[in-house]
Amino acid sequence: MSDIFLSYKAEDRARVKPLVDALTAEGLSVWWDVHIEGGAAWRDTIRSNLDAAACVIVVWSEASVGPAGHFVQDEASRARRRGVYLPVALDPVEPPLGFGQDHSLKLIGWRGGRRDPRFTDILAAARALIAGGPRPTPTARVRAIGKASGPPWRPVVVAAAAAVAVAAIAALAVVGPSAPLCRMAGTACPWASPKAPLHSIAVLPLTNLSGDPTQDYFSDGLTEELIGRLARLGGLQVAGRTSSFKFKASKDDSKVIGAKLGVNYLIDGSVRRSGQVVRVSAQLIDAPTGFERWSETYDRDMKDIFAVQSGIAEAVADALKVRLLGGDIAALSRGGTTSPDAYDHYLRGRRLFDVASDEASFRDALKEYDAAIAADPSFASAHSGRARVLEAIANQFAEGAEARKTLDAALASARRAADLAPGLAEAQATLAQTLLYATLDYSEARPLFARAMAGGGSGDADILNRIGLASCRAGDFASGLPAVRRAVSLDPLNPRVFKSLGLALTAARRYPDAIAAMRRALDLSPGASTAHNTIGDALYLQGQLPAAKAEYDLEPAAWARQRGRAIVLRKLGDVPGAEAAFRQLRAPDNGITAYQQAQVLAQWGDRDGAIKALQAALATGDTGILWMPTDPLLDPVRADPRFAGLLIRMGLHP
C-alpha cells in the first residue's frame, strides 16, 4: 500500500499532478485514482487504499468544496476519524462545514518547486503523519483558510488586482536580500544592481486554468497588461515582460526567481475563463521567504469586466500615493476600452505580435488589432499596437512604394493613439518611434519621447529601451545611457535590451563595455542577430583586427557579416576579399544597404563615395541612417560640410 492517499476533485487532476510528482520525487509513494485499472471495482479499490494510507492529503479547491465535491468530503471525514487527515488548499476557499477548525496548508500559486516553503510544509507534515507523530508547525507562516471579509464573488479587472497588490506592498517595510551581481568573464557587470530595491516586483505569467491551451493568449495578455499598468506607477520598480516570462511554468522557488529578477516581491496567480465569466486569482509573495503577503480572487462577467476599474483604483489611491508611490492613479486606466470583444481581439493581436517571425504572422496580428479597433474605435492601445505591427512590416518586409505606404499607415495609427490618450506613455513612445522611421527626422520625435517618460514610461523596460536607444543615436548620452541601463535592470533576462546597451555604448565610444553587453546578449540568445557584428565593430575600432574578423565571420545576418568583412579585410590588406564582400553587400537580395555601404566607404577613405551613399540612404528612407549622428565608423567623413547638412535635414544640429 502507498504512504499517501490523495483525495481531490477530478476537475483538479492537472493541478494536483505536480504535487504527486514532487512527493514521489521525495521518495514517498502516492495513491490517486489514476491507478484504478479498467474494470476494477473502483469503490472497493478507493476504500481499501484510503483506509490503508498513513497520510490522506485532501485537496480543497473551488470544485471540491461545493455540492459536487461530496466524495472528497466523505474521504476527508473518514481520514480525520483515523487521525491521518492533511488538508491542502489550491484555491482561497473556505472548507466545507465541519472542517473549518483544521488549518489548511496553502498551495495557492505554487509552481512545482520542491524547495518552495509551501511544499516543504506539506512534505514535513506528510512525513510526520506517516511516522505516526504529530503534524509539525509550518516553517512558513501558518496558512489558515478563514472566512474572507465581504462577499466571495467580486468584480475585477486586472489593473484593479494590480492596484490592490501594490497597496499590500505599500504596507511592508522589509529590506530585500542582496541580488546576485550579473557576472561575465569573472567580473561584475557595470549595469548590475547589488541589491533588489525595496519596492521591486515581478508579475509571473498567470496560469491558464481554463483547460484549453488555446486560451494562453488570454492569460498571457492579462499578465502583460498587469506588468504595463504597474509600470506606470512611478514608486514601483517592475520587472520587464521578457524576463518575467522566462519563468512561465518554472519550478524554481520564489527565492530563486526573485534573485534572478532582482526583485523583492512576486505577483503570481491564475486565470480561468469559462464562456463570459473570468476568474483572476492573484497572490503577493515575499520572494526571499516565499511567504504569501496577500491574496484575493476576483470574478467578473466579460461584458462588465471594465465597469468597476476606476472605482477600485480610486479605492486604493490614497494608499498608493501616501504610502508608496505618489504617482498618478489615473494612469491605470489610460488607453483602455469598455468593450470585451475589443479587449479580446487586442490580447490576441498582442500575443501574435510577441511571437511573430514572418510577414504572415505579423499580418495575423494586424487583423486582430483591426478587429479590436472595429469593436471600439476609441481603443488607444489597439491603435498603438496596430502602429507597431505596421512599422515592423514596413521595416522588415516591404520595399519601395509599399514600404512608404505601410509606414504612412503606421504613422496614422500612432497619431490616432496619441490623440485618443495623450497621457499614455506607450502611445507617445510609439508615435515618436514611428515618426523617426517614417521621416528620419529627430526634431518632432524627441519631445514625444520626453512626453512618454513623463507619462509613466520611466518604469517600462520596453519604452525605456526605445527612448534610450533613440537618444543615444542622436548623441544625447546623458539621458539615453541611463534609460537603456534602467531597461537592463528592469528586464535582466532580455537579450534585446543588452543588444541596445551594446549599441549605445559603441556609439559612446565605450568599446570594452559594449563588448561585455553584447556578450551577455549572446549568453541569453546565442543566435542573436547583429550581436557578433557589434562586437566586431568594437574590436575593429580598438585596432584588434584579427579578433574583429573572427567576430564578423560568426555573424548570422548576411548583410552585417558582409559589411564587417568588407571593412576589416581591407585593413588587413586583403583588398580582393574586401571588394568581394562589398559586392555581396550591394546585391539586390540584401535590400536597401545604402547606409552600410557608406560605413564601408568611409572606412576605406572614400569620402565622396561615403557622402553620396549617406545622401542615398536619406533619400530612400534607409532607417540605418538614424545612427549617422554618432556612428564611430563615419568619423572619417564627419568634418565634411555635406555631413553637417545631412544632420540638419534630420532635425539635429551639427
Side-chain angles (χ1 to χ4, degrees):
M1 292 296 179
S2 302
D3 297 320
I4 298 171
F5 179 98
L6 188 70
S7 175
Y8 70 102
K9 193 73 173 66
E11 289 88 331
D12 296 321
R13 179 169 295 170
R15 302 172 69 196
V16 302
K17 187 178 184 301
L19 177 59
V20 175
D21 292 343
L23 291 168
T24 303
E26 294 291 341
L28 300 178
S29 57
V30 181
W31 191 96
W32 56 323
D33 60 8
V34 297
H35 295 305
I36 298 178
E37 298 177 358
W42 61 274
R43 289 182 186 274
D44 291 339
T45 301
I46 291 174
R47 184 181 299 109
S48 61
N49 281 279
L50 174 64
D51 291 343
C55 171
V56 176
I57 294 179
V58 176
V59 177
W60 296 125
S61 69
E62 294 161 359
S64 63
V65 299
H70 59 89
F71 272 112
V72 176
Q73 296 164 29
D74 289 346
E75 290 165 357
S77 297
R78 200 176 186 98
R80 201 166 66 176
R81 286 197 299 269
R82 292 179 49 230
V84 295
Y85 166 65
L86 179 58
V88 171
L90 287 184
D91 298 317
V93 294
E94 185 176 355
L97 288 174
F99 295 94
Q101 69 271 34
D102 296 293
H103 292 305
S104 297
L105 295 177
K106 277 191 179 180
L107 209 56
I108 301 167
W110 178 60
R111 311 183 73 80
R114 287 158 54 195
R115 292 183 297 278
D116 189 303
R118 288 167 290 190
F119 173 72
T120 57
D121 285 351
I122 293 170
L123 179 63
R127 283 178 170 161
L129 287 174
I130 292 167
R135 176 175 147 184
T137 301
T139 54
R141 72 174 177 85
V142 176
R143 298 168 172 86
I145 304 293
K147 181 177 289 186
S149 60
W153 298 80
R154 303 184 184 190
V156 70
V157 294
V158 173
V164 179
V166 177
I169 295 173
L172 304 178
V174 181
V175 176
S178 296
L181 291 178
C182 165
R183 297 198 173 272
M184 185 179 308
T187 59
C189 298
W191 50 80
S193 174
K195 180 180 289 189
L198 175 60
H199 298 305
S200 55
I201 190 168
V203 183
L204 300 179
L206 299 172
T207 303
N208 170 21
L209 297 182
S210 68
D212 180 3
T214 64
Q215 289 292 312
D216 276 359
Y217 80 90
F218 191 78
S219 54
D220 288 353
L222 292 185
T223 303
E224 293 188 54
E225 285 289 285
L226 209 59
I227 293 170
R229 290 177 186 276
L230 289 173
R232 300 175 195 175
L233 302 172
L236 195 64
Q237 178 164 309
V238 185
R241 183 260 183 210
T242 300
S243 294
S244 292
F245 270 72
K246 294 280 188 182
F247 297 96
K248 185 172 182 177
S250 170
K251 293 188 177 181
D252 288 341
D253 62 25
S254 63
K255 184 175 182 180
V256 170
I257 295 174
K260 288 181 178 179
L261 294 177
V263 299
N264 270 331
Y265 301 101
L266 304 173
I267 288 182
D268 200 1
S270 62
V271 178
R272 177 176 293 164
R273 185 181 183 187
S274 179
Q276 290 299 304
V277 178
V278 178
R279 167 167 291 183
V280 178
S281 295
Q283 302 85 41
L284 176 66
I285 299 166
D286 182 291
T289 66
F291 290 173
E292 181 185 286
R293 299 286 183 171
W294 164 89
S295 68
E296 188 60 271
T297 297
Y298 307 89
D299 285 10
R300 189 64 175 170
D301 193 294
M302 276 293 291
K303 71 178 188 300
D304 297 322
I305 195 168
F306 302 101
V308 298
Q309 181 175 13
S310 298
I312 296 179
E314 290 170 5
V316 298
D318 289 342
L320 291 173
K321 290 194 293 188
V322 173
R323 299 183 188 179
L324 177 62
L325 299 174
D328 182 6
I329 300 305
L332 287 170
S333 58
R334 287 177 186 154
T337 180
T338 57
S339 166
D341 287 341
Y343 194 61
D344 188 77
H345 284 296
Y346 168 75
L347 293 183
R348 290 177 186 271
R350 186 168 185 163
R351 171 64 177 269
L352 289 167
F353 179 66
D354 285 340
V355 301
S357 58
D358 55 23
E359 184 174 0
S361 51
F362 277 106
R363 291 200 177 277
D364 286 341
L366 182 62
K367 290 177 184 176
E368 293 295 342
Y369 282 127
D370 284 342
I373 293 167
D376 181 0
S378 299
F379 191 179
S381 292
H383 285 281
S384 183
R386 184 176 191 271
R388 295 194 70 181
V389 174
L390 287 167
E391 178 195 301
I393 292 172
N395 286 326
Q396 297 182 41
F397 308 107
E399 293 184 8
E402 183 62 27
R404 179 73 265 164
K405 178 182 176 182
T406 306
L407 272 176
D408 288 344
L411 187 55
S413 288
R415 289 192 188 280
R416 178 62 175 154
D419 288 343
L420 288 167
L424 180 63
E426 165 62 27
Q428 296 296 335
T430 297
L431 177 56
Q433 182 164 302
T434 307
L435 272 166
L436 273 181
Y437 285 120
T439 68
L440 303 180
D441 187 335
Y442 282 92
S443 59
E444 189 177 354
R446 294 177 79 178
L448 293 172
F449 278 133
R451 198 175 300 168
M453 292 288 278
S458 60
D460 187 305
D462 181 61
I463 293 175
L464 283 164
N465 190 45
R466 286 185 271 165
I467 290 175
L469 198 57
S471 298
C472 289
R473 286 189 303 218
D476 182 6
F477 297 109
S479 63
L481 276 175
V484 181
R485 284 200 182 97
R486 179 159 170 77
V488 167
S489 70
L490 291 174
D491 213 355
L493 302 181
N494 185 350
R496 188 172 64 253
V497 295
F498 281 97
K499 282 181 60 178
S500 294
L501 182 59
L503 289 167
L505 290 166
T506 301
R509 279 68 171 169
R510 297 176 55 174
Y511 304 127
D513 287 344
I515 291 171
M518 281 298 179
R519 294 284 186 214
R520 180 57 177 156
L522 287 168
D523 286 344
L524 294 168
S525 179
S529 176
T530 72
H532 285 292
N533 185 65
T534 303
I535 294 172
D537 287 348
L539 291 168
Y540 170 82
L541 290 162
Q542 295 178 91
Q544 301 176 42
L545 304 184
K549 178 183 177 299
E551 289 294 334
Y552 290 139
D553 288 345
L554 292 171
E555 174 55 50
W559 62 267
R561 183 175 63 252
Q562 292 153 5
R563 188 226 63 174
R565 285 176 56 81
I567 291 173
V568 75
L569 288 175
R570 181 93 169 208
K571 284 285 187 180
L572 288 169
D574 183 0
V575 175
E579 291 178 345
F582 191 56
R583 284 195 300 271
Q584 292 176 323
L585 175 65
R586 299 175 68 183
D589 58 356
N590 274 330
I592 298 174
T593 60
Y595 182 75
Q596 288 74 29
Q597 293 173 41
Q599 291 175 307
V600 173
L601 293 169
Q603 288 300 308
W604 284 5
D606 184 353
R607 176 178 293 190
D608 286 342
I611 293 295
K612 288 178 181 178
L614 289 173
Q615 291 169 339
L618 189 59
T620 58
D622 184 347
T623 56
I625 203 170
L626 292 171
W627 280 106
M628 190 184 96
T630 54
D631 187 347
L633 293 173
L634 296 180
D635 284 353
V637 299
R638 197 169 296 279
D640 191 296
R642 293 171 292 179
F643 191 94
L646 289 171
L647 287 178
I648 292 171
R649 287 170 61 186
M650 295 173 66
L652 296 171
H653 294 292

